[in-house]
Amino acid sequence: MATDDPEKMPGSDRTLAEREAMYRSAFEQASVGIAHVGPQGEWLNVNRRVSEIVGYSPSELLTITFQDITHPDDLDLDVNLLNEVLDGTRDGYRIDKRYFHKTGRIVWVTLSVSCVRKASGEVDYFISVLQDITEKKRIGQALLDSEIRFRAVQETSPDGFMIFHSLRSTDGEIEDFVWEFINPAAEQLTGRVSQALIGKRLTKEMPEVSTYGLFEVFCNTVQTGAPWRREVYYPGRDRRRWFNFTVARVGDGFAVSFQDVTARKNAELQLQASQKRLRTILNGVMAIIGLAKPDGKLLEVNETTLRLTGVREDEMLGHRIWNHPAWCQTSESQDQLVKAFEEAKVGKRMRFDTEIRGSGGQSIPVDMQLSPIFDEFEQVTEIVLSAVDISERKRSEAHREMLLSELNHRVKNSLATIQAIAAHTVREATDLEGFRRAFTGRLRAIAASHDLLVSSTRESADISRLIREQIMGYAPEEASRLELSGPPLVLGPQGAHAFGLILHELATNASKYGAFSNERGCLRIGWRLEGEDVVVEWLERGGPTVVPPTRRGFGSALIEQSLSHSLGGRSKLDFNPEGLKAEFQFPVRK
């Protein structure tokens, strides 16, 4: 059928130019890459999308071949298939292959190749369609990597892990669950191999899940999506065991992770039983026992504490012990307890006498002890406190009888000492009045030592008071000329007696020849503990120039006999020109 317009195609109102423009527009705007490629692989014509996929402009592509930008691992396959098309053994092919983007990164494409042949049958050119699947490949690889990691984790995990999907009835109700995955740890814990369980129904293979209520738990997790975690006493193939279950929904099914915690659970039960026994023992002890934080807040107390103080447990726990009425009889006892905790929280064991208020409001004397508890870093984490009622001991007069017996023994020793003092004093005195003053002073020293012993306890004497008793009678009125320093310290009876005599001898010498013999001299006496010994330092300054003695007098003999022979201690006297310096060391408890 002829047409009057040669530019128009038969059966169409569009001209060839219009149809060519439509073809060109479709070629350029296509969402896939379209290219014409020559028999040798040269690019003949490319659309916009090809340039976007490989990063080269159309003009740059027309100067190279597809082989130049094809990944070497894909090149042989692509060329071989192309040669088969050239040979006529196939008309086209479709493969996934990789190109090198102009920036150097790899681009994955699905390549579909067809050809246009000449009248002779030879290939005139190829039509290549490129679809970018880089993101698809990336997602696929990520999924594969994730699956590999999941498998690796589950293969090495010590926890059992299983995945199930739901088996539903025609009305949508869950009838059962079917195994999809079991890791090696689950095989070991259940004693079942995965090949025997994959695809099998849960309630058929392990009916005990219904008996122990786990089937309902699994159904609820799938239906609500709420995870579930619990420790369950579950029957094993050989014995009952404790398992820690964690259940979470996965699609239309669930995953369960479980670990055998039997050993830990048994240890916890044993610990609970041990704590119960310990609590029974502590409640049976007739002494106050408690546990506190280093800041003094009570964590636990035994029943004896509640009974003696007449308060409830909740009135004590969580409160600092020194703020409770039972322990703050006076501000002095409260301060004493606060200071004791300050020492205990840095690692020191403390023991002291104090008073608490009993349930009837009465004062109860107690022997209080604080024992710090350390962690692995040697830091104090808690403090154990205990207090024993010593009312009976305080009321008892037995110590007085023992004191009398001790004093009887001391009197005999003192008479022997007085005889020695008298003999030495006679040899030293130049006249009767000098003898009287020296002898009377030394007797007063003995009497003061005995008075101090009697006024404190049957076995001890406070060193600070002992020093003051012996020194103050010779010290000048100016307080700055006498300095005493040292910790609270109680001397034993022998030490108090012997050291009292030494102090008196030194004080009289200081008054006659030393620091107290002029208007500006001063005396410093300090003491400290070194293990089981007390060390006392006597230092005079500002007095007349000291001249070392030419002969060994009574004072030196007294010091040597008192410390070395009686106490097993030592003494050192330095007659420095600027003032006497002496040091004494002897057992504190003797």
Side-chain angles (χ1 to χ4, degrees), residues 4-5 36 70 169 172 174 180 198 223 238-239 253 278 313 318 389 404 441 467 506 521:
D4 296 336
D5 188 350
H36 298 151
T70 295
S169 62
I174 296 177
E180 288 185 356
I198 299 299
Q223 292 165 352
D238 52 350
R239 59 185 174 88
L278 179 60
E313 189 176 54
D389 185 351
L404 291 175
I467 292 174
L506 292 173

Side-chain angles (χ1 to χ4, degrees), residues 172-285:
E173 294 295 324
I174 296 177
E175 293 183 338
D176 209 338
F177 297 98
V178 179
W179 266 282
E180 288 185 356
F181 175 81
I182 304 173
N183 75 343
E187 292 181 325
Q188 183 179 8
L189 290 171
T190 61
R192 309 284 291 275
V193 295
S194 60
Q195 292 86 344
L197 294 178
I198 299 299
K200 299 294 183 62
R201 296 175 62 160
L202 174 61
T203 59
K204 298 296 183 183
E205 298 298 325
M206 294 182 179
E208 62 270 15
V209 297
S210 297
T211 306
Y212 284 83
L214 289 175
F215 185 80
E216 289 74 12
V217 170
F218 300 152
C219 291
N220 184 69
T221 298
V222 174
Q223 292 165 352
T224 65
W228 182 86
R229 183 172 185 177
R230 193 76 53 81
E231 288 184 351
V232 177
Y233 194 42
Y234 192 80
R237 305 194 71 177
D238 52 350
R239 59 185 174 88
R240 288 181 179 272
R241 291 182 290 176
W242 282 94
F243 286 97
N244 187 7
F245 279 92
T246 302
V247 183
R249 184 171 66 184
V250 177
D252 188 28
F254 70 93
V256 57
S257 173
F258 54 99
Q259 54 188 179
D260 188 344
V261 294
T262 305
R264 176 178 62 78
K265 197 68 176 181
N266 288 339
E268 289 178 355
L269 294 175
Q270 292 174 2
L271 178 60
Q272 291 173 5
S274 175
Q275 290 176 337
K276 184 177 180 180
R277 288 194 299 271
L278 179 60
R279 168 61 62 174
T280 301
I281 294 172
L282 292 179
N283 287 336
V285 174

Side-chain angles (χ1 to χ4, degrees), residues 34 37 45 114 165 194 215 263 269 304 351 365-366 384 390 491 534:
I34 303 175
V37 181
N45 189 20
S114 59
H165 69 261
S194 60
F215 185 80
L269 294 175
T304 302
R351 183 174 184 177
V366 294
V384 177
I390 56 174
L491 300 180
V534 60

Side-chain angles (χ1 to χ4, degrees), residues 307-328:
R307 185 171 60 255
L308 286 179
T309 58
V311 297
R312 300 192 310 272
E313 189 176 54
D314 60 349
E315 293 177 323
M316 283 191 174
L317 301 188
H319 302 284
R320 287 184 172 86
I321 182 173
W322 50 78
N323 290 332
H324 195 277
W327 270 275
C328 58

Side-chain angles (χ1 to χ4, degrees), residues 348-400:
K348 296 182 180 180
R349 295 173 63 92
M350 303 299 295
R351 183 174 184 177
F352 54 95
D353 289 351
T354 186
E355 291 184 349
I356 65 170
R357 181 177 300 169
S359 57
Q362 76 281 15
S363 294
I364 303 175
V366 294
D367 176 7
M368 177 74 77
Q369 298 186 49
L370 302 179
S371 299
I373 298 176
F374 301 89
D375 61 13
E376 63 273 22
F377 304 106
E378 295 300 318
Q379 299 297 312
V380 176
T381 57
E382 295 167 332
I383 296 174
V384 177
L385 62 95
S386 62
V388 179
D389 185 351
I390 56 174
S391 300
E392 191 63 29
R393 175 169 67 86
K394 288 288 186 179
R395 290 191 296 265
S396 176
E397 296 295 331
H399 68 286
R400 296 188 182 274

Side-chain angles (χ1 to χ4, degrees), residues 296-309:
K297 289 183 179 179
L298 284 169
L299 301 174
E300 292 185 40
V301 292
N302 66 346
E303 290 183 358
T304 302
T305 304
L306 304 178
R307 185 171 60 255
L308 286 179
T309 58

